[in-house]
Amino acid sequence: MQRTPNTPNLNKAAVYAIVINAIQLLMLLLFVLYVTVGDMTEEHRLQLQIIAVTGAVMAGWGAVVDIRDALTARKLSRTVGQLQTVNQQMDQLNREMRMQRHDFLGHIQVVYSLLQMEEYQEAIDYLEKVYSQLQTVSRVLRTRMTAFNALLQVKSAAAEKRGIQLELDIRSTMEHLEIPAWELCCAVGNLLDNAMDAAAYAAKPHITLTVTETLRQVTLTVRNNGATVPAAIRDKLFEPGITTKGENHGMGLAIVRRTLEQYGGTISMEAKEHDTTFTLQVPRVAA
């Protein structure tokens, strides 16, 4: 598998860490031996200082490498978690499509039998029900980004389960984007989860996801009619630790903003009474 420029080289990092720590241990051993058995003359004292300074430099270098590797591992861990989420969504979409295929084969057999029995009105009524189901499936298959279609399927089912109306207005094929599909899905999924939590308190909970495109970018808006974001935190909403959900919940929007900015995108929020809209703008790959 070919690595991209941003992919961490874990083998190389591990070798660096082993070599640096081995050198540090060797310097420490020499230092201890010298202090224990060495003759502390003026010349030896200078040598001792050189060893101490060298050891300190190596220790500092090792600390920098260890911190860098820890940050790399943390980023990789978050990436793996996001990929697992997208993979679960893809699996759920695949299961749903297999179930739909099985159901539609059964529907065809029923309609065929009704036509054979010349029960034409019943066949028409049955087809209308099937068509309604087909419309539900087609709502989440409007783009050429399979991961995004899977996300819409999962979130549509979650919204229906919670009694929330999720309206989808998809007018983009979601092609040729700068941001990887799985990272965009994690960002949009985070916003839809937040919107469902907010809309759940409305009398008639409603969320609208709109996707439009131009030659240069794709714009996604997530709008809900739930509780309004408090004015005191609106200007700080995308900072780490700022949340409306209590403790241990403040990193989502900060990560969304950082992810989008990494690929030249932006996120903004507009809040009114029972009307909150988040807007994502994602650049497209230049032709």
Side-chain angles (χ1 to χ4, degrees), residues 173-242:
T173 59
M174 304 290 287
E175 294 180 287
H176 311 302
L177 299 182
E178 291 281 0
I179 187 172
W182 64 271
E183 293 210 67
L184 177 62
C185 288
C186 287
V188 177
N190 182 285
L191 295 181
L192 287 173
D193 288 340
N194 290 346
M196 282 190 276
D197 289 341
Y201 294 96
K204 295 182 178 180
H206 184 271
I207 298 172
T208 302
L209 171 63
T210 304
V211 184
T212 59
E213 67 178 21
T214 64
L215 290 176
R216 295 186 177 182
Q217 68 181 25
V218 168
T219 301
L220 305 96
T221 62
V222 179
R223 182 177 182 180
N224 75 84
N225 65 341
T228 304
V229 178
I233 66 171
R234 289 179 187 175
D235 294 336
K236 303 178 181 180
L237 195 59
F238 298 104
E239 297 180 7
I242 301 300

Side-chain angles (χ1 to χ4, degrees), residues 3 7-16 69 72-73 76:
R3 289 196 322 114
T7 302
N9 191 328
L10 296 182
N11 290 330
K12 187 176 180 179
V15 171
Y16 278 158
D69 291 345
T72 299
L76 183 61

Side-chain angles (χ1 to χ4, degrees), residues 9-142:
N9 191 328
L10 296 182
N11 290 330
K12 187 176 180 179
V15 171
Y16 278 158
I18 292 172
V19 171
I20 292 172
N21 283 281
I23 294 175
Q24 290 182 55
L25 289 173
L26 179 60
M27 295 298 298
L28 179 60
L29 179 60
L30 290 175
F31 182 78
V32 171
L33 289 175
Y34 196 87
V35 171
T36 305
V37 302
D39 185 6
M40 297 300 291
T41 63
E42 187 64 29
E43 180 182 356
H44 291 163
R45 185 175 292 108
L46 177 61
Q47 294 175 354
L48 184 62
Q49 291 174 347
I50 293 174
I51 293 176
V53 171
T54 304
V57 171
M58 293 301 300
W61 183 22
V64 170
V65 172
D66 288 343
I67 292 173
R68 184 196 63 187
D69 291 345
L71 293 175
T72 299
R74 181 180 179 185
K75 180 180 179 181
L76 183 61
S77 176
R78 182 167 63 89
T79 299
V80 170
Q82 291 174 334
L83 286 171
Q84 287 176 338
T85 299
V86 174
N87 185 58
Q88 290 172 356
Q89 294 169 348
M90 296 282 287
D91 287 343
Q92 185 166 343
L93 176 62
N94 183 56
R95 289 194 299 269
E96 183 70 21
M97 295 306 298
R98 290 176 63 185
M99 291 173 58
Q100 291 291 342
R101 177 181 179 276
H102 180 269
D103 290 345
F104 287 142
L105 289 175
H107 295 325
I108 292 175
Q109 292 175 350
V110 172
V111 172
Y112 181 75
S113 299
L114 290 172
L115 292 176
Q116 280 189 321
M117 294 185 294
E118 299 184 355
E119 298 288 348
Y120 301 120
Q121 185 58 48
E122 289 190 24
I124 292 174
D125 293 341
Y126 192 87
L127 282 174
E128 287 180 350
K129 295 178 181 179
V130 173
Y131 180 71
S132 177
Q133 295 179 9
L134 181 61
Q135 283 184 313
T136 301
V137 175
S138 66
R139 288 171 66 231
V140 298
L141 296 176
R142 298 181 181 181

